[in-house]
Amino acid sequence: MAHVIVQVNGRPYTMQCEEGEEEHLRELAELLDSEVQRVKTNVGSVGDIRMLVMAGLMVADRLSEAIHKIQALEEQVAGLREARNIAQSEAAGLEARFSERLVAASERLEKLAQLIR
């Protein structure tokens, strides 16, 4: 396990993470710290625990919005896939009908060509 010191609200915290995840942990701490700073700007100093809870709720709200957007996009992708499958099926049917008509027209042309000779 790797140890990383992160800063939140100007205070250092030693955290553990998997090897190779140190930078990601630092980025997460920066995200939390930016929310803490936003709380301090909007509400003022309300105590560390309350401030961290408020910042955590703000991050959770952003996460919740992202999850809803992802779900909506997944539904949209599923709808597009279904529409693509329907279009491919219709195209295959049109291709088959066109091929049949082309063969029929070719046969008629051959009969006409034989009559002309």
Side-chain angles (χ1 to χ4, degrees):
M1 293 294 270
H3 292 276
V4 178
I5 298 173
V6 297
Q7 295 277 332
V8 177
N9 197 26
R11 292 189 174 88
Y13 295 92
T14 302
M15 308 299 290
Q16 285 185 325
C17 64
E18 296 292 326
E19 294 290 333
E21 294 293 317
E22 297 89 350
E23 187 58 33
H24 182 62
L25 180 57
R26 286 185 191 97
E27 291 170 359
L28 294 173
E30 287 175 15
L31 173 66
L32 181 60
D33 188 56
S34 69
E35 294 299 331
V36 166
Q37 298 310 316
R38 190 177 306 173
V39 169
K40 283 173 68 172
T41 300
N42 293 332
V43 179
S45 186
V46 292
D48 286 346
I49 293 175
R50 184 177 170 129
M51 191 176 328
L52 285 172
V53 168
M54 292 172 74
L57 289 172
M58 291 170 70
V59 171
D61 182 51
R62 290 171 59 184
L63 174 62
S64 174
E65 288 177 15
I67 288 170
H68 289 281
K69 286 180 183 177
I70 289 169
Q71 288 171 340
L73 289 171
E74 286 174 341
E75 289 172 9
Q76 188 177 14
V77 167
L80 290 171
R81 282 187 180 135
E82 184 177 333
R84 180 199 62 200
N85 292 339
I86 290 170
Q88 285 176 336
S89 177
E90 289 175 356
L94 287 172
E95 185 178 329
R97 285 194 303 271
F98 179 74
S99 179
E100 290 170 4
R101 288 182 181 169
L102 189 58
V103 167
S106 173
E107 289 171 355
R108 277 186 254 148
L109 285 173
E110 281 201 31
K111 286 179 185 177
L112 285 172
Q114 288 174 358
L115 289 174
I116 294 174
R117 289 183 195 166

